[in-house]
Amino acid sequence: MSAFLSAVCLLIGTFFVIVASVGLLRLPDLFIRMHAATKAGTVGLAFLLLPVAITLQEVTVTSRIVSILFFILITAPVAAHLLGKAMMQKGYKIWRGNPDE
């Protein structure tokens, strides 16, 4: 049962990481790209680390994974916010959409 749950988590995590990668390539604006990378990348990383804790089931491994996830969940949104704030202060133009649409 734990192997099946690990496989499902790995597939979900891979999906989110691929969505984050495609978002970085396809989205038009720095702020929208940051949003895709932060949200999908963080969730993808969480789902990729979760199977390690499920499979190994050791206290030391699980505590390290929880620590890593806590660190990533705290720092990734803050870093994206600070980067966006710095770009706004620098005068980066926000994408308003294609006027020909």
Side-chain angles (χ1 to χ4, degrees):
M1 182 65 180
S2 67
F4 175 74
L5 189 59
S6 295
V8 169
C9 287
L10 284 173
L11 288 174
I12 293 170
T14 304
F15 171 75
F16 276 107
V17 169
I18 289 172
V19 166
S21 302
V22 170
L24 285 175
L25 294 174
R26 302 277 306 178
L27 294 173
D29 189 11
L30 172 84
F31 299 111
I32 301 171
R33 288 178 184 168
M34 268 192 324
H35 179 76
T38 303
K39 297 284 184 182
T42 303
V43 172
L45 180 64
F47 274 107
L48 289 176
L49 286 175
L50 190 61
V52 177
I54 292 171
T55 303
L56 295 179
Q57 295 181 354
E58 294 179 13
V59 175
T60 57
V61 173
T62 305
S63 65
R64 288 179 186 169
I65 289 174
V66 168
S67 300
I68 291 169
L69 287 177
F70 179 73
F71 180 75
I72 294 296
L73 289 173
I74 295 298
T75 58
V78 172
H81 174 75
L82 290 176
L83 183 60
K85 188 176 177 181
M87 291 306 292
M88 286 293 289
Q89 290 175 350
K90 203 71 167 154
Y92 186 82
K93 301 287 186 206
I94 296 176
W95 181 71
R96 301 281 184 201
N98 190 357
D100 296 332
E101 290 180 340

